[in-house]
Amino acid sequence: PMGAVIERGTNANGEYVRLADGTQICTRTNLSAANASTALGGLFRSANVTWTYPAAFIAAPVVSGDVDDADGWTTTVGAPGLTSSALRVVSAVTKAAALNFRALAVGRWF
C-alpha cells in the first residue's frame, strides 16, 4: 500500500509518522529558546536549541519551524543530522523573553 501509515508514535522528543513509501515526518510542538538578543548583523538570534527527533532518519531530512512571535522565525544551524538538528530563533527586534517554537522534519526512514 503506497503511502499508507505503517507506524505512528510519540515520545519525549515529539511525534512521528512512518509511511509505506519510506517517508517519515517528525514534529515537535514545545521547543523554547530563552531569548533572541544576540546581535547578528541587523538581526538578533537565540542560542542554538538541539532537537533530537522522535525517530531517526536514514538520510538527512529537511527541517523547518515556526515561532509564536510575528517578529521571529527559525533557522537550522548547519546541516540537519540523522538523529537531531540544531535550530535557533532569529528576530527582527531583540527579544528578552523566552520564545516558543515548533519544528518539522521530513525525510526517509528506509
Side-chain angles (χ1 to χ4, degrees):
M2 290 302 281
V5 173
I6 297 296
E7 182 179 352
R8 177 181 298 271
T10 302
N11 60 40
N13 298 321
E15 298 182 5
Y16 68 94
V17 175
R18 288 181 165 172
L19 304 178
D21 68 357
T23 301
Q24 177 171 281
I25 303 166
C26 294
T27 59
R28 175 88 184 255
T29 58
N30 58 347
L31 290 165
S32 181
N35 58 51
S37 59
T38 301
L40 178 68
L43 303 172
F44 299 90
R45 69 166 180 82
S46 70
N48 297 349
V49 175
T50 299
W51 173 36
T52 300
Y53 313 127
F57 292 89
I58 64 159
V62 174
V63 178
S64 64
D66 63 337
V67 182
D68 292 343
D69 188 288
D71 297 321
W73 60 94
T74 60
T75 64
T76 57
V77 181
L82 302 181
T83 60
S84 66
S85 182
L87 301 121
R88 68 170 54 146
V89 174
V90 177
S91 179
V93 296
T94 187
K95 300 289 182 171
L99 295 156
N100 297 317
F101 66 100
R102 290 162 298 287
L104 169 76
V106 179
R108 301 204 47 86
W109 68 280
F110 78 80

